[in-house]
Amino acid sequence: MSESYAVGILNDVVMGDDITEYLQRIDSTLAPFDGHFIIHGGSPDVREGQWTGDLIILRFPTSDAARHWYNSDAYQAIVPLRINNSLGTVAIFEGVDRQHRATDILN
């Protein structure tokens, strides 16, 4: 099984008490599922097009772990803190192994 990633692209984040609480609580929701941040916002070095928003990528050992984290009571308890204070998209992606080549998607 490949690692999986929860990817969020957030825009118009209203920094306030709710987002602060979300940030203070999210790490403890990740721990039981062996999830951790690999990208958490920052200033991208844009090479093509225009970049808007903040990119967040979390790594999990499996897609089941990522799904269980997102659906967990602990995470669902804090989701409204983010949703009510930002616009964004969140999705879970299964990773590919190190031998993957671009042409593999043609098969």
Side-chain angles (χ1 to χ4, degrees):
M1 239 181 219
S2 298
E3 292 178 326
S4 287
Y5 303 88
V7 178
I9 301 172
L10 301 181
N11 290 281
D12 302 322
V13 178
V14 178
M15 291 303 292
D17 292 342
D18 284 351
I19 291 296
T20 298
E21 181 179 347
Y22 177 85
L23 293 171
Q24 290 171 336
R25 293 174 60 186
I26 191 171
D27 290 322
S28 65
T29 72
L30 296 167
F33 305 97
D34 198 20
H36 63 276
F37 286 91
I38 60 171
I39 296 176
H40 194 189
S43 299
D45 180 2
V46 178
R47 299 302 173 110
E48 297 180 24
Q50 295 180 356
W51 185 266
T52 61
D54 294 310
L55 176 65
I56 296 91
I57 301 178
L58 305 168
R59 179 184 292 150
F60 293 88
T62 65
S63 56
D64 281 346
R67 285 187 201 96
H68 289 298
W69 161 75
Y70 186 86
N71 294 324
S72 70
D73 290 343
Y75 187 64
Q76 287 301 306
I78 65 171
V79 165
L81 299 170
R82 176 180 51 77
I83 289 174
N84 294 334
N85 292 283
S86 65
L87 299 175
T89 302
V90 175
I92 296 173
F93 295 87
E94 189 166 329
V96 296
D97 63 34
R98 293 182 62 89
Q99 290 73 38
H100 177 85
R101 299 294 175 252
T103 56
D104 290 351
I105 67 165
L106 300 175
N107 298 328

